[in-house]
């Protein structure tokens, strides 16, 4: 029985209980949201090491970390180091985007050892797994790769079902600046172009639902047509695909298969709220999993910032799950430091949104931090800091002349001076 | 004649013309906004090296860089290096917050050499200039420091006029978590507490208007009661002060003295729009100059990101001028690298807002960047990048196996594959 089916039947599973404890809400609240399809608990019955998390607008915003072996960065151990680091930094989910070498071994080790939710994009693996180039992959091959991933224990899979032959026609008629920038979406498009066939993930969606239902794997409906530039945001291609994704969401929900929907992309910040509203309506409130949105195209090297801006706004308006973006986006495969920067930026965006939404417990964290700041208790501040105090302690090595201030203000410190003034003490500055 | 007075009389000054050229709008548009008080051109008649810029909601969002000599970081040359770097990075304004050593010499050198708008906070300098501790400074001393700065040629001064004895009573009755976190605001509060007197910047505001009017110095009304924590945002103290700042704005406008208003601070992202609306209404549309807003308290070491999120939202809803925040905020005086990170983050926020507002020319930049990306023209991308390609070129040292891709995707590159597919070519992946 899937979490969804249990929830609909009024059953509270042990996974729902674990999620409720983590969220600080009642198990019944989790059950209700899962029953409506407004939340998912990606949790393959075979993933024994998992600590389940619930993804939905009513709960803490979750973040995902992408990693995996690729041809240009093919060190197995380096990617496993990233896994350990991501887990230590409390990433909620890890997507294994491996596309080179021993993809199966890597995936299995990840699932054996990792308490975070694990997602994959089977289409990346097809070429590697069968060692056949894209044009020679068959529809059956694609389905077989999905089965392999599901049977290995992944918790959610991205399938680019939304690109149909109609999408292809529309895309070729439109004048998009950046066409399709989804890696999986482009592979599917190229395969369809070369073979003349319909998208197998669309055509054989019912089979995929059956496979996922058996192991309670959550479907993440890939957005092949997400805008890859500010110019293309909220355009006909994007919204046309979202309509298809809405239909596919409803079909999954009707079968009690857990489902979430992937979203933009590059987007002006003033378009984000409307996009969240439209997705929630078209996709019956299914959780929205966004990559960004990146609120400008012009900042290569800083896309963890452009996406933190968009992600915070998106999550405050309904997105439930943020895919991290690192400073290396558009430039290179992120290294460990890039990954850390990306995780922190995403966590900032997620928490800023949780504060805005009034999510349970979110405001306490800020209250305690500012109380420590008011008390000039730097050790407490570092203990509470989002990065576990790493940057703060480093910065603190630049020690101030005046104890319990920082080198920015010294005796001009407003907190020091207000504390003295309110106590009726003389405020000395010289 | 101030820019405001000229504008009201229908005169287009050479400064308005220079601003119009920079903005890509007509000089008449600049004149209109300045006449209404919805925009300012901070430009002291004595600051001969300036390239004038207009600050207002109808124009490109501007950014300010704080620097200056302080006791804990007292190297004159290091701060001058920051000035050169900030100018090279096209900072629109520099605030000299020097509070140690030869503050006068530093300020004068800055004004002699620097094309950016120069702002100061005279209250910081009073203790240093007169070499008397805070309690011994007189009301006349404060006014004299203002005169000194104005006569040295600064383009705008922050004066904390909004803290009155009524504010003090209210602040002591409320239960703010972080009291006053404005450095200047806390100094004024402490001075008032120690002397029992009214705030001289409030009491003698007309004198200050006269001084500023003579040299066309723009008044920046400091927000002593800006929230220093999420907990204190949009509270009674903050809004009470804003009401006072609204009155003072109107008094400046009535005398044709250019005026802008400073704003928050720490704030939940869903409160930002309302704050912008209230400021625009209470302050007759005067430009809003915001520090942040920082959308969470919990990220010391990353407050350039928390403030980029808030700044982008604020500017898209009416703020005209963003004070940069660096990763060192709350921790230490920023070094040169911190400053660079802060400038880039602010510029990202400013540009993201300009895109959202549809400011003239903003979208072209993104279009050209994404066109270069679509053409896999990395050199062009770096040329257009917000940091002049510094990070991009560094990242590019990790070279991919496949030419004209990056090491993130290699042959899986969606742009490569879509370009091939749309050309009818075979898409090889292996």
């Amino acid at each position: 029985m899937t979490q969804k089916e249990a929830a609909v039947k009024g059953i509270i599973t042990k996974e729902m209980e674990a999620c409720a404890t983590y969220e600080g809400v009642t198990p019944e609240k989790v059950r209700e949201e899962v029953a409506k399809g407004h939340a998912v608990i990606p949790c393959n019955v075979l993933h024994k090491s998992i600590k389940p998390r619930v993804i939905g607008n009513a709960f803490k915003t979750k973040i995902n970390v992408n990693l995996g072996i690729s041809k240009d960065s093919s060190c197995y151990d380096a990617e496993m180091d990233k896994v350990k680091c991501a887990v230590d930094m409390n990433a909620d989910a890890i997507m294994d985007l491996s596309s080179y070498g021993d993809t199966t071994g890597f995936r299995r080790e990840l699932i054996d050892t990792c308490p975070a939710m694990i997602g994959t994009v089977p289409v990346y693996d097809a070429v590697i797994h069968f060692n056949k180039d894209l044009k020679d992959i068959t529809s059956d091959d694609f389905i077989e790769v999905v089965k392999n991933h599901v049977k290995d224990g992944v918790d959610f899979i991205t399938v680019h079902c939304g690109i149909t032959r109609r999408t292809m026609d529309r895309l070729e008629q439109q004048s998009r600046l950046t066409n399709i920038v989804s890696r999986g979406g482009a592979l599917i498009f190229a395969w369809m172009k070369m073979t003349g066939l319909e998208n197998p993930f669309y055509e054989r969606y019912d089979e995929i639902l059956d496979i996922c239902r058996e192991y309670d794997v959550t479907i993440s409906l890939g957005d092949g047509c997400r805008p890859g530039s500010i110019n293309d945001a909220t355009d006909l291609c994007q919204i046309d695909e979202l309509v298809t994704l809405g239909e596919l969401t409803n079909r999954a929900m009707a079968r009690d298969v857990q489902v979430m929907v992937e979203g933009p992309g590059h987007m002006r910040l003033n378009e984000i709220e409307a996009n969240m509203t439209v997705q929630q309506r078209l996709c019956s409130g299914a959780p929205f999993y966004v990559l960004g949105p990146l609120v400008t195209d012009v900042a290569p090297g800083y896309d963890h910032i452009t996406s933190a801006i968009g992600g915070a706004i998106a999550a405050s308006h309904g997105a439930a799950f943020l895919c991290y973006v690192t400073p290396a986006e558009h430039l290179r495969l992120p290294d460990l430091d890039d990954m850390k920067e990306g995780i922190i930026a995403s966590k900032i965006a997620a928490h800023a949104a949780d504060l805005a939404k009034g999510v349970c417990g979110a405001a306490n964290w800020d209250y305690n931090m500012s109380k420590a700041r008011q008390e000039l208790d730097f050790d407490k501040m570092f203990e509470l800091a989002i990065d576990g105090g790493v940057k703060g302690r480093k910065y603190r090595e630049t020690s101030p002349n005046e104890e319990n201030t920082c080198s920015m203000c010294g005796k001009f410190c407003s907190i020091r001076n207000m504390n003295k003034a309110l106590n009726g003490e003389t405020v000395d500055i010289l």
Side-chain angles (χ1 to χ4, degrees), chain A:
Chain A
M1 196 172 1
T2 66
Q3 297 291 332
K4 172 81 159 54
E5 190 179 351
V8 169
K9 291 182 173 159
I11 298 165
I12 288 173
T13 64
K14 66 179 195 305
E15 289 80 12
M16 293 174 203
E17 279 174 359
C19 292
T21 303
Y22 179 73
E23 300 288 335
V25 301
T26 63
E28 177 56 19
K29 168 78 177 167
V30 175
R31 189 201 62 75
E32 273 175 19
E33 293 291 312
V34 173
K36 286 186 285 190
H38 293 182
V40 294
I41 304 176
C43 185
N44 188 312
V45 294
L46 300 175
H47 185 186
K48 303 299 185 189
S49 61
I50 197 171
K51 288 183 185 163
R53 294 282 179 264
V54 59
I55 299 172
N57 183 20
F59 306 107
K60 289 173 188 163
T61 305
K62 304 301 185 295
I63 68 154
N64 172 70
V65 170
N66 289 336
L67 46 78
I69 309 162
S70 60
K71 192 165 183 180
D72 285 317
S73 183
S74 55
C75 178
Y76 192 103
D77 291 340
E79 293 308 300
M80 272 299 160
D81 285 345
K82 286 188 190 169
V83 172
K84 290 188 193 84
C85 179
V87 169
D88 287 345
M89 292 177 78
N90 292 315
D92 301 292
I94 291 173
M95 287 197 80
D96 170 16
L97 306 186
S98 291
S99 62
Y100 185 77
D102 182 15
T103 55
T104 304
F106 188 84
R107 183 170 61 249
R108 289 179 180 167
E109 184 178 347
L110 189 62
I111 293 161
D112 275 352
T113 58
C114 186
M117 298 177 271
I118 306 296
T120 60
V121 188
V123 71
Y124 296 169
D125 194 22
V127 170
I128 307 304
H129 180 75
F130 293 105
N131 194 29
K132 291 197 284 195
D133 219 329
L134 186 62
K135 70 178 187 330
D136 303 318
I137 301 290
T138 65
S139 173
D140 285 343
D141 291 340
F142 282 127
I143 300 297
E144 190 176 327
V145 173
V146 169
K147 272 188 198 153
N148 290 345
H149 284 221
V150 166
K151 287 182 177 173
D152 281 342
V154 305
D155 303 301
F156 63 99
I157 53 166
T158 294
V159 276
H160 297 86
C161 309
I163 296 176
T164 63
R165 297 214 68 91
R166 192 184 63 169
T167 314
M168 291 179 75
D169 293 341
R170 283 203 163 138
L171 192 91
E172 299 200 51
Q173 283 157 26
Q174 300 302 313
S175 54
R176 267 203 149 183
L177 181 57
T178 43
N179 298 314
I180 286 178
V181 297
S182 152
R183 200 155 71 163
L187 291 175
I188 293 292
F189 184 97
W191 184 87
M192 291 163 72
K193 191 87 180 170
M194 290 188 290
T195 62
L197 300 173
E198 181 53 285
N199 179 351
F201 296 100
Y202 178 76
E203 206 170 27
R204 301 172 71 173
Y205 187 62
D206 283 331
E207 279 176 72
I208 293 170
L209 290 180
D210 286 339
I211 297 165
C212 289
R213 189 182 158 84
E214 189 177 349
Y215 296 86
D216 197 6
V217 169
T218 299
I219 290 192
S220 188
L221 290 167
D223 57 331
C225 295
R226 71 167 166 271
S229 55
I230 292 292
N231 184 77
D232 294 349
T234 325
D235 74 350
L236 193 145
C237 290
Q238 182 200 327
I239 303 301
D240 178 48
E241 184 187 41
L242 188 60
V243 170
T244 305
L245 298 185
E247 291 169 343
L248 296 169
T249 298
N250 291 338
R251 283 168 62 189
M253 284 185 179
R255 307 273 309 267
D256 288 338
V257 174
Q258 299 195 91
V259 61
M260 57 188 170
V261 179
E262 298 184 13
H266 292 235
M267 182 166 284
R268 280 182 177 80
L269 68 84
N270 59 318
E271 293 181 17
I272 296 173
E273 183 176 356
N275 270 266
M276 301 303 115
T277 304
V278 171
Q279 182 273 345
Q280 290 289 286
R281 186 72 184 89
L282 293 182
C283 301
S284 306
F288 206 12
Y289 174 23
V290 296
L291 178 71
L294 283 64
V295 293
T296 169
D297 306 343
V298 303
Y302 304 85
D303 280 325
H304 59 312
I305 299 179
T306 64
S307 71
I309 297 171
I313 299 171
S316 75
H317 289 295
F321 193 21
L322 303 179
C323 185
Y324 93 149
V325 174
T326 80
E329 185 75 16
H330 301 111
L331 295 170
R332 74 167 179 202
L333 199 86
D335 65 16
L336 195 65
D337 286 334
D338 296 327
M339 189 189 79
K340 288 180 189 173
E341 288 284 315
I343 291 175
I344 297 290
S346 306
K347 288 178 79 164
I348 289 171
H351 178 66
D354 289 349
L355 272 180
K357 292 198 295 184
V359 166
C360 178
N364 284 346
W365 187 6
D366 293 70
Y367 185 91
N368 291 331
M369 174 63 83
S370 287
K371 186 162 178 290
R373 204 165 265 156
Q374 169 61 27
E375 290 164 358
L376 297 167
D377 183 345
F378 283 88
D379 287 335
K380 186 77 182 170
M381 279 184 246
F382 299 149
E383 196 181 297
L384 289 166
I386 200 161
D387 74 342
V390 176
K391 266 255 192 102
R393 282 182 228 274
K394 191 187 122 211
Y395 278 4
R396 198 66 188 156
E397 289 163 15
T398 310
S399 60
N401 274 300
E402 175 76 1
E403 207 185 355
N404 285 334
T405 67
C406 84
S407 61
M408 180 177 266
C409 300
K411 283 190 173 180
F412 282 82
C413 173
S414 61
I415 295 192
R416 167 191 185 268
N417 295 339
M418 284 301 293
N419 288 351
K420 279 177 178 268
L422 289 168
N423 271 336
E425 294 171 36
T426 299
V427 177
D428 59 310
I429 305 290
L430 279 182

